Amino acid sequence: MESISRRTFVSATAAAVAIGLTACSSASEASSGNSDAQTHGSEASIETAAASSGKHIIGVVVYNVADSEVIMFRQYLVDYVAKVCFEDVQLVYSNSVTSEEELLGFIDDVAAMGGEGVLSFINIDLAAEVKRCADHGMYHIVASGTVSEEDFAAVEDNEYFLGAIGPMIEMEYNAGSDMVRNYIANKAGDRYFLMSGGASAGNEMHYQRTLGMLDALETGYGVDLGNTKELAGSEEAMVIEKDSLSVTIAPGYVSRDTTRPAVIEAFGDGAYDVVLSTLPVAPIFDTLNKANLKIAQIDCYSQENQLLFASGKLSYLAGKYGSQVGPSFVAMYNAVTGHAADFRDAGKAFKVVQKFWSSSNKEDFDEKYEFASNITSPAFNYEDLYSICCERTPSVTLDDFKTLASATSFEDAKARRSEG
């Protein structure tokens, strides 16, 4: 998901997927009218949500309704969680949110609908967003992302901020470095095109991924690239050549018309061996799709990426899977059913670190995608969710919640389903 401020964000990805997701699609879901041109939700949406008497209304704010990760999470939350497991919940989705004004407007819309909380997949100014939720008496959670220590500390004492669940800084960094080590080990070539996404524009997640890539290249080739912390946040495209290694760093969100051309220009004639991307490459895939070019990205286990692996056009993926967001939903459900105080961590908001999955070949991707896309028995199924839900398991503790919410590796998922 995208972030404007590097200090606070949730996920910065942008894939061009032609699927319409802005209208009310079921009795368990409504949509706010947030868009670039319209900050507040439509009256029809508000009436639809308000008509669901007796249901807990929870807002879900997203950065791009056409993004493959957003679509993946939405399928799980709407089609499995709200329809199958928690029928007393109505999810109200935002349209694509790109500014703080739109984000705060969406929070106001949800409050006007009688909402009780917001699952956030984009944060621009976390402190302001938590405050706005608190002003309305609504809970807030960073549902799947990474928050800087500074930003987390600024809101951790607010009783309406439940916490943050996601890869966090270490996992983001490792996702980038592991990607590079894979290609070095397989002698894929020495010319790298590195897409740093929003690393220069305040996106901590993209910054950590880029830094991990650069540090791994430096170590793997035994060269000194310079100050990798500064290079990772470079606002301009640059080429670094050391011995046999050549690295082109191209910043910018490829989903945005304002920054995409600069990335394409930096790519030039495509004289590379490997593309390393901190975000989905779909918006410029036609540009990158050169003969014998290996493409790696940090995104998610989506159908779109399955097709890219099947065609041989994607050779490495690190990313999340749909049901990974299940524990975040349950944390919110526990709060709106009166149990928020039971899940404070020494009086403060909790933080849970989750892992990425990764695949370097089609066979491995297909095995993991089967788990990721299984809507009838997902990696986090109803038994898992009920085991950390106070209304279903009254004895559940914060430690129980953290243990399950952090058990996100592929091995964890296989173990749970084989037990089932």
Side-chain angles (χ1 to χ4, degrees), residues 238-381:
M238 61 173 58
V239 180
I240 307 167
E241 295 182 337
K242 295 286 184 176
D243 298 337
S244 63
L245 175 64
S246 174
V247 184
T248 298
I249 304 173
Y253 290 107
V254 292
S255 63
R256 299 181 182 179
D257 294 339
T258 54
T259 51
R260 185 187 312 113
V263 179
I264 294 174
E265 181 180 357
F267 187 73
D269 62 4
Y272 307 99
D273 301 306
V274 179
V275 172
L276 305 170
S277 181
T278 63
L279 75 177
V281 301
I284 62 167
F285 182 77
D286 289 343
T287 298
L288 301 178
N289 189 22
K290 305 288 185 178
N292 301 318
L293 191 63
K294 297 175 178 63
I295 299 177
Q297 64 180 0
I298 300 176
D299 186 18
C300 65
Y301 280 76
S302 65
Q303 184 178 29
E304 179 184 42
N305 287 326
Q306 181 193 36
L307 295 174
L308 290 177
F309 257 110
S311 66
K313 296 175 179 178
L314 185 65
S315 63
Y316 188 97
L317 175 83
K320 303 171 187 175
Y321 52 95
S323 67
Q324 200 163 345
V325 75
S328 295
F329 172 87
V330 177
M332 179 60 70
Y333 187 83
N334 283 339
V336 302
T337 53
H339 306 283
D342 298 330
F343 290 84
R344 302 298 288 176
D345 194 348
K348 300 179 182 295
F350 61 75
K351 186 182 291 185
V352 175
V353 178
Q354 294 185 327
K355 298 177 181 178
F356 287 112
W357 287 359
S358 64
S359 297
S360 58
N361 58 68
K362 177 183 180 299
E363 292 70 29
D364 185 79
F365 179 90
D366 286 345
E367 182 185 10
K368 290 172 180 172
Y369 178 69
E370 184 177 352
F371 271 83
S373 61
N374 190 330
I375 199 66
T376 59
S377 183
F380 281 100
N381 72 357

Side-chain angles (χ1 to χ4, degrees), residues 138-216:
M138 297 195 305
Y139 294 102
H140 181 288
I141 187 170
V142 175
S144 181
T146 301
V147 180
S148 72
E149 295 295 332
E150 179 184 359
D151 285 343
F152 189 87
V155 294
E156 64 181 351
D157 291 321
N158 191 313
E159 64 179 311
Y160 287 98
F161 178 59
L162 303 180
I165 301 181
M168 303 305 162
I169 289 174
E170 181 181 359
M171 295 300 170
E172 301 286 4
Y173 179 91
N174 289 344
S177 57
D178 289 347
M179 178 185 287
V180 167
R181 282 192 284 267
N182 169 75
Y183 286 111
I184 292 177
N186 287 285
K187 296 181 171 55
D190 304 319
R191 300 171 299 173
Y192 295 85
F193 183 70
L194 197 164
M195 295 166 59
S196 61
S200 64
N203 191 313
E204 187 72 20
M205 180 171 56
H206 285 186
Y207 176 79
Q208 291 297 331
R209 294 172 182 179
T210 303
L211 182 60
M213 293 173 185
L214 292 173
D215 285 349

Side-chain angles (χ1 to χ4, degrees), residues 33-231:
N34 277 313
S35 67
D36 290 341
Q38 180 176 325
T39 301
H40 299 292
S42 67
E43 292 182 7
S45 297
I46 295 174
E47 290 171 0
T48 299
S52 300
S53 59
K55 288 197 174 187
H56 298 287
I57 297 173
I58 297 172
V60 186
V61 58
V62 299
Y63 52 93
N64 182 354
V65 295
D67 180 79
S68 57
E69 184 177 283
V70 170
I71 293 168
M72 176 188 70
F73 283 147
R74 185 167 185 157
Q75 272 188 318
Y76 173 72
L77 287 172
V78 172
D79 294 336
Y80 185 76
V81 173
K83 283 186 179 178
V84 177
C85 307
F86 296 88
E87 296 182 49
D88 60 339
V89 167
Q90 177 159 334
L91 298 175
V92 179
Y93 262 80
S94 73
N95 287 344
S96 300
V97 168
T98 60
S99 71
E100 182 70 356
E101 180 183 8
E102 291 173 354
L103 205 163
L104 295 178
F106 174 73
I107 292 173
D108 292 340
D109 290 347
V110 174
M113 298 174 190
E116 298 174 76
V118 171
L119 297 172
S120 178
F121 290 93
I122 172 175
N123 295 108
I124 299 171
D125 183 342
L126 182 61
E129 292 141 24
V130 169
K131 181 180 184 303
R132 184 62 64 91
C133 282
D135 288 344
H136 289 300
M138 297 195 305
Y139 294 102
H140 181 288
I141 187 170
V142 175
S144 181
T146 301
V147 180
S148 72
E149 295 295 332
E150 179 184 359
D151 285 343
F152 189 87
V155 294
E156 64 181 351
D157 291 321
N158 191 313
E159 64 179 311
Y160 287 98
F161 178 59
L162 303 180
I165 301 181
M168 303 305 162
I169 289 174
E170 181 181 359
M171 295 300 170
E172 301 286 4
Y173 179 91
N174 289 344
S177 57
D178 289 347
M179 178 185 287
V180 167
R181 282 192 284 267
N182 169 75
Y183 286 111
I184 292 177
N186 287 285
K187 296 181 171 55
D190 304 319
R191 300 171 299 173
Y192 295 85
F193 183 70
L194 197 164
M195 295 166 59
S196 61
S200 64
N203 191 313
E204 187 72 20
M205 180 171 56
H206 285 186
Y207 176 79
Q208 291 297 331
R209 294 172 182 179
T210 303
L211 182 60
M213 293 173 185
L214 292 173
D215 285 349
L217 285 169
E218 193 174 60
T219 301
Y221 280 87
V223 298
D224 182 1
L225 295 178
N227 188 329
T228 55
K229 291 184 178 180
E230 291 185 0
L231 293 174

Side-chain angles (χ1 to χ4, degrees), residues 366-416:
D366 286 345
E367 182 185 10
K368 290 172 180 172
Y369 178 69
E370 184 177 352
F371 271 83
S373 61
N374 190 330
I375 199 66
T376 59
S377 183
F380 281 100
N381 72 357
Y382 73 95
E383 292 174 316
D384 302 319
L385 302 184
Y386 288 170
S387 75
I388 54 174
C389 173
C390 293
E391 296 293 295
R392 296 282 184 163
T393 308
S395 62
V396 65
T397 66
L398 176 61
D399 286 341
D400 296 330
F401 175 83
K402 283 185 169 183
T403 298
L404 181 67
S406 62
T408 51
S409 72
F410 183 57
E411 292 71 26
D412 290 330
K414 287 179 68 176
R416 284 198 299 272

